[in-house]
Amino acid sequence: MRFENKTAVVTGGSRGIGFAIASRLAKEGANIAILYVGDESEGLKAKEELLKFGTKVEQYFCDVSNFEASKQVVEKVIEDFGGIDILVNNAGITRDKLVLNMDEKDFDAVIGVNLKGTFNMIKHTYKHFMKKRYGRIVSTSSIIGIIGNAGQANYAASKAGIIALTKSVAKELAGRGVTANAVAPGYIGTDMTNVLSDKVKDAMKAQIPAKRIGTPEDVADVVAFLCSDDAAYVTGEVIRVDGGLAM
Ligand code: NDP
């Protein structure tokens, strides 16, 4: 099993793409720490599901946009699990509006969770990875961070920021056996996209060369590769998982 004796922290791991990633890593032997911010019962449900794979699983309440809370949770995970090998920055939110109607709060909230949250988690695991001369950091960007999108200026900026952050961290840590990569999903069926109208969904589907909406597992497969030793010589990379949408 590729992740035996490895510990992975997955932010936003109790549902959607994050849960698929946590499941995939656990299935291949990883111990899992999921961070959640919403309903505790959802987190507990996810934990129960993940325990079926037979590895250690804990859930932690943590708003990743909070610098101090992220620091404390990383310290707690290291204490509980004895270390961290894999960090998956998956937590993300949207507050879609045209810039015309977007207020400061909408902008700050999205940058705060998506970009600063990713920075916070990398910042607090950085020294730990450096010291053990091993680490896998995979952050969830989006094709919107590459091509932009009307109505998503805040989201696009946060996801483009994740790409720049990833490449910079990759350069800083490459000599220490630590890789930092990003995935850029296209249109994936989760709670985040279920709120879109059928008309918007159909229009998006029609544009996807693969002619289907992606699944959380499509993303999890690529994240698992980037977390594995098969990807030891891959760093600073951004892999689109979009059925060809942003080609
Ligand atoms: P969901 O809305 O289904 O899930 C979002 C997750 O993020 C939840 O687990 C949520 O936690 C967590 N989260 C939100 N805010 C915080 C916070 N402040 N601190 C900690 N955790 C938080 O989204 P998806 O599964 O669709 O998306 C996952 C990632 O993939 C996001 O970064 C998203 O931007 C990205 N992505 C998604 C695409 C899609 O089409 N779905 C396309 C491209 C990128 P909780 O469960 O506790 O509420």
Side-chain angles (χ1 to χ4, degrees):
M1 290 211 279
R2 285 194 294 183
F3 304 116
E4 203 159 9
N5 298 321
K6 297 270 194 278
T7 294
V9 175
V10 183
T11 71
S14 59
R15 62 194 167 97
I17 294 172
F19 180 70
I21 293 169
S23 303
R24 178 61 195 264
L25 298 179
K27 193 175 171 185
E28 294 196 57
N31 297 316
I32 305 287
I34 50 175
L35 309 194
Y36 73 101
V37 79
D39 193 352
E40 191 185 357
S41 62
E42 283 294 314
L44 272 173
K45 217 166 68 192
K47 181 179 167 179
E48 292 305 312
E49 285 287 313
L50 292 171
L51 280 170
K52 289 181 191 154
F53 295 110
T55 63
K56 181 177 163 81
V57 181
E58 292 296 344
Q59 53 161 19
Y60 302 84
F61 181 88
C62 176
D63 175 356
V64 294
S65 69
N66 183 316
F67 187 81
E68 206 42 50
S70 319
K71 181 170 187 277
Q72 282 169 15
V73 88
V74 167
E75 286 168 1
K76 182 80 176 101
V77 173
I78 291 172
E79 188 187 317
D80 291 351
F81 287 80
I84 299 172
D85 305 283
I86 296 165
L87 168 65
V88 180
N89 292 302
N90 162 81
I93 59 168
T94 51
R95 295 280 186 279
D96 297 352
K97 279 171 195 165
L98 295 175
V99 171
L100 185 70
N101 302 318
M102 188 179 290
D103 59 27
E104 193 183 357
K105 249 185 11 260
D106 299 320
F107 190 82
D108 289 349
V110 171
I111 297 291
V113 175
N114 300 6
L115 181 55
K116 193 178 168 215
T118 300
F119 166 76
N120 287 343
M121 293 301 296
I122 291 175
K123 165 75 187 164
H124 300 313
T125 47
Y126 191 102
K127 259 195 209 150
H128 181 73
F129 287 150
M130 260 177 87
K131 274 195 202 141
K132 64 194 297 186
R133 300 190 82 84
Y134 183 87
R136 293 279 180 272
I137 303 169
V138 181
S139 301
T140 312
S141 177
S142 164
I143 58 162
I144 302 306
I146 301 171
I147 60 175
N149 198 20
Q152 290 198 302
N154 50 0
Y155 185 78
S158 73
K159 295 299 186 180
I162 287 174
I163 292 173
L165 174 62
T166 296
K167 291 185 177 185
S168 304
V169 170
K171 285 186 174 173
E172 290 181 19
L173 291 176
R176 298 275 183 159
V178 182
T179 65
N181 293 289
V183 285
Y187 178 12
I188 310 296
T190 66
D191 294 346
M192 186 175 272
T193 46
N194 284 342
V195 296
L196 301 170
S197 70
D198 286 345
K199 199 172 147 201
V200 172
K201 283 183 195 167
D202 288 344
M204 286 181 76
K205 199 168 147 186
Q207 289 172 33
I208 302 171
K211 293 290 168 225
R212 70 171 176 88
I213 290 165
T215 64
E217 290 72 25
D218 287 325
V219 182
D221 287 345
V222 178
V223 171
F225 163 68
L226 291 171
C227 290
S228 75
D229 288 339
D230 297 334
Y233 203 57
V234 179
T235 196
E237 188 55 89
V238 183
I239 302 184
R240 285 187 296 106
V241 189
D242 66 350
L245 183 57
M247 232 180 331

